[in-house]
Amino acid sequence: MGDGLRRGARAFEFLFGVALLVAASACSSGSGGSGETTSAVAGSMGTTTTSTGTTGSTATSASSNSTSGGGGPSSSGSEGSTSAGGTTTTAAASTTGSGGSGGSGGGADEVYPFPANAPDEDGSSLWLRYPELPIPERLAEYRAGLTHVVGSGASPTLQIAEAELVRGLSGLTGSELTLSPELTGAGAVVVGTPESSSVVAGLGDRLAALGSEGYLVEALDVGGQAAIVVAANTDIGALYGSFALLRHLQSHRGLDGLSLTSAPKIKLRLLDHWDNLDGSIERGYAGRSLWNWSALPGTVSPRYTEYARANASIGINGAVLNNVNADAEILTSAYLEKVKALADVFRPYGIKVYLTARFSAPLEIGGQSTADPADSGVQGWWQEKVEEIYGLIPDFGGFLVKANSEGQPGPGDYGRTHADGANMLADALEPFGGIVMWRAFVYSDETPSDRIRQAYDEFKPLDGQFRENVMVQAKNGALDFQPREPFHPLFGGMPQTPIALELQVTKEYLGEDTHLAYLGPLYEEVLSADTYAEGEGSSVARVVDGTVYGHALSAMAGVANVGSDANWTGSHMNQANWYVFGRLAWDPDASSRELAAEWVRQTFSNDPLVVGPVADMLQMSRQALVDYMTPLGLVHIMATDHHYGPGPWVNDLDRDDWNPTYYHRADADGIGFDRTASGSNAIEQYFTPVRDMFSSRESVPEDFLLFFHRVSWQDTLASGRSVWEELVYRYSHGVDQVGVMRDTWAGVEQRIDAERFGEVAEFLQIQHWEARWWRDACLQYFGQVAGLALPSGYAEPANALGFYQGLDCPADATKPRCDPIYSGEPSPAILP
Ligand code: GCW
């Protein structure tokens, strides 16, 4: 039994290329279930709460009705089942099959003991925990099959790979493994490259397809002895392969027939840190910056190594160290010495360092009288600066630039274009192999008719004018990292320019540190959206990985969510967003649900009564948040500056397009922003048939309705409800989904350590109250504007509109905590 490939019904249905998840399952008892559940299981005694939630619709799906409470596909399956009394569980291991971590590892029906008194954990180990296997059969298999690590120690990177294998395998097997230069019997784990290992050299052509970062991990017979070989063309490939093997083992999968092969689809997989030189982090909710600039370069914190190790484990190969709202000082010689110290730590982990370049640096720190890119003195200054950088950091990655946006200096200050500015820097970097990532997040100083049009309108005409080592970097949506936005029309819109995808990992608009919102479904929704740039199949993923237009350069960047907090990311659950970003940057076609399960296995437990329910909870969380914050295509109705709570009434900010009222346009007649031909016509920036789909009231996905259309309050939706009724339903449903999440989490109590259990439970409690705050405030406001009352069957908002408008929180934007607006158990928003 327990073939790892044997799986129950899969939870994914594909509508026009996008995964639409509807969770439903029953929990049986006795017989071993297989496959992954999509249910949210409440309670530790095997009771089941069936939840519906979706990963949402896509820009290319005809409709999703994701939260309309009916319709939509469903599937069921269970990852495991309780035995009598709920103290043990039976599971079939399954492979993830995504991002190269799957493979044909076996699995067995395994009994997971209830982990009495699991030691408390503070989260600092992330997903790189290697606890001894609690399953006797599997433990015996690992002890027999993983006896020693064989490596040459030929380079710092190989030494790291070998040490990680020794550490991981020793932990998982509960016995100290040794590292040796030769095979000394059965159970060797051989790691290396053709240069460092004769065993790997013997694989010959099989390594050809792996490229410079891929790996092959395989159970092989070496000289009559069973061994596992971790092979790659390069040292960094061998390190990635080592982490892939450990991931497989941390998921308690079998060794028989083990075969994992993977190479990244995207070349540059970067974290962008919005870290300031004073140690603060713009939009950071996990403490202070990791980089202790005042202590560098003399003091090099061990945390830098831990950071690099964690990134390498998920394939991240670059870090932009400082904020895009840049300080020129980072380019001074004193700071470059500090940057070099970090680059030296990161190098053996395959991580290149990049910096943001403040466009006015020649003026501010270079003694120039201008920063005009056409000025030869300015060009010379940048060339010398770049030479200085490469003198210290020979593998420096290049510059990321935010120019002429939100007050940042740029070539526009001198009447030059973005291409003029980017090309000047690109010319300086080119001799050294460096690149420029020029951000497309721009909007002009004058309030436009429709802000979301601007990036495309400004950049599209420049297509073909950028140097070969320039990438234009666009956010996933044309507005600004909202809980849900249609994909940015620049994806596919600039055939001659490689476009990098910028995602936000830190949750500026999605509840920051406290609210649970797993971003895998958001990323997946964007990556799988079809741009139709070169006909069907031109998904954002294919544009970004360079295949649609044949670009060699490809990049995905995530705005980092890490900081000095012990748990790295401000909450335990936010670690999943760092993880899923890295894994999707490696393989943008991987399934967010499978990656959620993969993360849960490594981070919390392989107990199926943890894996299935918690992965489901993660998977439903983003849709729940969209529903209680910005349903039906609403965007940017957050409170001013900190963006934490609701502020749909705000209408007095300096720029019209900073006001929530600019975006939702609600009045007595209706709500929504007309971006069709009768309005701003932003839909013309998309290719047909996407343009037509968004343009028509009949075919626009309801999740984007108010983003593209202005409709009356009485307009009827697919559910049969009016727009007003649907808003009330979705806001309420979102709140109640947080209740389901809380119940789900309650079900894992005692199956994981008490410390992390308690901290997550506390945040879910806050989220439940604050979801109610969002819902009550928004419904009070929109109801008043529309002159409509709540339909029957819903809980009345707890307070009058003025109460919410008068709230002034959070006091500290970096650790947002408001005084509880509610207390006790929130009652259901949809009345039973
Ligand atoms: O989302 C907005 C943020 C700014 C950020 C800007 C950007 C770094 O509110 O804090 O500035 O985007 O992406 O440049």
Side-chain angles (χ1 to χ4, degrees):
M1 300 201 29
D3 179 343
L5 297 175
R6 192 171 57 100
R7 317 189 72 167
R10 296 293 299 277
F12 301 95
E13 299 251 355
F14 288 85
L15 278 189
F16 297 84
V18 160
L20 182 77
L21 168 71
V22 173
S25 100
C27 187
S28 60
S29 67
S31 65
S34 69
E36 291 188 356
T37 181
T38 60
S39 70
V41 179
S44 60
M45 299 293 281
T47 49
T48 301
T49 303
T50 301
S51 62
T52 50
T54 75
T55 58
S57 72
T58 172
T60 57
S61 72
S63 73
S64 77
N65 305 324
S66 58
T67 57
S68 58
S74 68
S75 61
S76 65
S78 72
E79 189 149 25
S81 57
T82 52
S83 69
T87 55
T88 62
T89 56
T90 307
S94 64
T95 63
T96 67
S98 65
S101 76
S104 58
D109 288 347
E110 289 160 339
V111 176
Y112 277 78
F114 212 105
N117 304 321
D120 278 341
E121 296 187 40
D122 64 5
S124 56
S125 301
L126 296 164
W127 49 86
L128 297 168
R129 302 158 62 257
Y130 303 119
E132 184 177 328
L133 264 72
I135 312 297
E137 301 77 24
R138 184 66 87 208
L139 181 62
E141 181 193 348
Y142 280 15
R143 282 186 172 162
L146 307 162
T147 58
H148 59 297
V149 176
V150 177
S152 66
S155 73
T157 303
L158 285 175
Q159 286 165 19
I160 289 166
E162 292 154 9
E164 190 73 29
L165 286 169
V166 168
R167 174 177 176 174
L169 299 177
S170 299
L172 290 163
T173 60
S175 53
E176 279 306 307
L177 267 74
T178 53
L179 174 66
S180 75
E182 304 290 342
L183 271 81
T184 59
V189 178
V190 184
V191 57
T193 64
E195 288 75 46
S196 77
S197 159
S198 57
V199 174
V200 173
L203 292 169
D205 288 354
R206 298 202 49 210
L207 303 181
L210 304 179
S212 60
E213 292 183 297
Y215 57 79
L216 180 155
V217 178
E218 208 159 270
L220 287 177
D221 183 290
V222 180
Q225 306 273 20
I228 290 171
V229 179
V230 179
N233 292 314
T234 58
D235 296 349
I236 190 64
L239 179 58
Y240 292 147
S242 302
F243 279 116
L245 172 61
L246 288 165
R247 206 154 46 227
H248 182 88
L249 303 173
Q250 284 173 287
S251 302
H252 297 183
R253 300 196 168 104
L255 302 179
D256 253 13
L258 170 66
S259 176
L260 313 171
T261 307
S262 188
K265 293 185 180 143
I266 291 181
K267 203 166 165 185
L268 306 177
R269 307 172 298 276
L270 313 173
L271 283 187
D272 289 359
H273 293 266
W274 286 358
D275 292 20
N276 299 313
L277 302 189
D278 67 1
S280 62
I281 305 179
E282 181 150 352
R283 310 304 176 185
Y285 314 102
R288 307 277 296 166
S289 171
L290 292 174
W291 328 131
N292 190 344
W293 293 115
S294 56
L296 282 164
T299 306
V300 177
S301 158
R303 196 138 159 123
Y304 305 150
T305 309
E306 287 306 301
Y307 163 85
R309 171 177 170 248
N311 274 338
S313 78
I314 50 176
I316 287 171
N317 66 2
V320 183
L321 299 181
N322 60 323
N323 193 352
V324 289
N325 290 331
D327 186 334
E329 212 182 334
I330 192 81
L331 298 174
T332 59
S333 301
Y335 267 88
L336 290 176
E337 290 290 346
K338 301 168 192 276
V339 173
K340 171 189 160 42
L342 289 173
D344 289 344
V345 174
F346 298 167
R347 187 169 298 111
Y349 292 88
I351 294 162
K352 282 189 182 179
V353 156
Y354 299 72
L355 294 174
T356 60
R358 184 161 165 87
F359 205 77
S360 51
L363 274 170
E364 292 170 25
I365 59 163
Q368 303 293 310
S369 56
T370 175
D372 184 347
D375 182 272
S376 59
V378 170
Q379 293 164 2
W381 185 84
W382 280 110
Q383 281 158 12
E384 274 175 35
K385 187 47 73 182
V386 165
E387 254 173 61
E388 181 188 352
I389 294 174
Y390 279 92
L392 294 165
I393 308 165
D395 55 353
F396 179 68
F399 292 134
L400 171 67
V401 185
K402 172 177 178 175
N404 294 123
S405 171
E406 297 186 328
Q408 294 299 304
D413 304 348
Y414 307 95
R416 316 285 174 200
T417 68
H418 288 290
D420 296 331
N423 290 345
M424 175 197 55
L425 295 175
D427 288 343
L429 289 159
E430 195 275 334
F432 305 95
I435 64 160
V436 173
M437 293 165 289
W438 193 270
R439 293 178 89 225
F441 178 72
V442 297
Y443 54 96
S444 66
D445 296 338
E446 272 92 69
T447 301
S449 59
D450 183 359
R451 177 173 140 189
I452 73 146
R453 287 195 59 120
Q454 289 187 35
Y456 184 98
D457 287 346
E458 215 167 306
F459 277 83
K460 172 81 180 162
L462 301 176
D463 192 25
Q465 295 182 27
F466 291 97
R467 298 280 192 271
E468 297 239 311
N469 58 335
V470 175
M471 305 191 75
V472 167
Q473 179 161 312
K475 295 186 181 183
N476 55 281
L479 181 54
D480 193 0
F481 296 138
Q482 296 301 293
R484 172 169 280 134
E485 272 185 74
F487 71 86
H488 202 307
L490 277 178
F491 295 107
M494 292 180 71
Q496 299 179 66
T497 313
I499 307 287
L501 168 61
E502 181 177 304
L503 298 165
Q504 205 176 37
V505 185
T506 189
K507 304 201 320 293
E508 174 184 355
Y509 293 98
L510 290 99
E512 308 186 350
D513 64 333
T514 37
H515 293 213
L516 164 56
Y518 168 59
L519 300 178
L522 189 163
Y523 301 161
E524 185 175 48
E525 186 175 303
V526 173
L527 287 163
S528 61
D530 201 338
T531 70
Y532 281 85
E534 291 283 286
E536 196 177 352
S538 312
S539 63
V540 171
R542 295 289 79 79
V543 172
V544 172
D545 73 16
T547 51
V548 167
Y549 295 122
H551 291 300
L553 267 183
S554 56
M556 240 168 95
V559 180
N561 65 349
V562 297
S564 60
D565 281 1
N567 66 23
W568 294 89
T569 54
S571 79
H572 298 293
M573 290 305 190
N574 277 347
Q575 294 177 0
N577 293 328
W578 182 7
Y579 185 87
V580 75
F581 167 75
R583 300 283 288 129
L584 283 173
W586 180 280
D587 178 6
D589 300 318
S591 139
S592 65
R593 172 59 174 73
E594 291 184 5
L595 292 173
E598 186 183 283
W599 175 79
V600 172
R601 285 175 180 277
Q602 297 169 83
T603 305
F604 287 114
S605 168
N606 279 278
D607 182 338
L609 284 188
V610 176
V611 179
V614 176
D616 288 337
M617 180 178 104
L618 291 172
Q619 199 65 13
M620 70 192 280
S621 60
R622 180 269 191 149
Q623 180 64 44
L625 179 138
V626 168
D627 284 342
Y628 68 71
M629 284 189 183
T630 53
L632 287 179
L634 287 171
V635 284
H636 224 309
I637 57 172
M638 289 77 186
T640 308
D641 291 336
H642 54 71
H643 299 154
Y644 189 65
W649 46 80
V650 174
N651 64 358
D652 58 356
L653 302 180
D654 286 353
R655 282 182 63 133
D656 198 24
D657 61 343
W658 286 345
N659 286 316
T661 50
Y662 169 92
Y663 291 101
H664 64 65
R665 305 193 165 207
D667 62 20
D669 300 327
I671 181 169
F673 198 129
D674 183 3
R675 296 192 160 103
T676 69
S678 54
S680 76
N681 206 17
I683 50 104
E684 72 175 342
Q685 297 176 337
Y686 291 96
F687 290 89
T688 18
V690 181
R691 175 193 301 175
D692 300 336
M693 181 190 58
F694 287 155
S695 182
S696 152
R697 170 65 192 88
E698 271 60 60
S699 58
V700 67
E702 288 187 348
D703 283 329
F704 296 135
L705 176 64
L706 305 179
F707 191 89
F708 288 116
H709 292 260
R710 178 169 173 76
V711 292
S712 85
W713 294 105
Q714 276 67 43
D715 189 286
T716 307
L717 302 187
S719 61
R721 301 183 189 103
S722 70
V723 165
W724 167 241
E725 289 164 349
E726 186 75 16
L727 274 183
V728 175
Y729 171 75
R730 291 199 186 203
Y731 270 112
S732 306
H733 182 67
V735 175
D736 290 349
Q737 289 292 84
V738 181
V740 173
M741 286 155 55
R742 286 183 61 200
D743 290 347
T744 301
W745 188 249
V748 307
E749 184 164 18
Q750 293 176 45
R751 292 181 185 279
I752 66 164
D753 61 287
E755 183 173 352
R756 290 186 301 165
F757 173 81
E759 286 172 12
V760 173
E762 191 189 323
F763 275 10
L764 285 167
Q765 169 76 74
I766 293 173
Q767 184 175 8
H768 204 176
W769 284 328
E770 294 187 351
R772 189 65 192 263
W773 164 32
W774 264 93
R775 175 235 185 222
D776 287 359
C778 291
L779 291 181
Q780 284 290 36
Y781 170 73
F782 288 125
Q784 192 172 95
V785 170
L788 291 164
L790 241 58
S792 63
Y794 295 95
E796 282 297 324
N799 296 285
L801 178 59
F803 169 83
Y804 301 107
Q805 289 173 322
L807 288 175
D808 190 16
C809 66
D812 174 0
T814 65
K815 280 284 172 204
R817 306 282 183 280
C818 300
D819 290 337
I821 287 147
Y822 304 100
S823 58
E825 289 295 304
S827 57
I830 301 178
L831 298 175

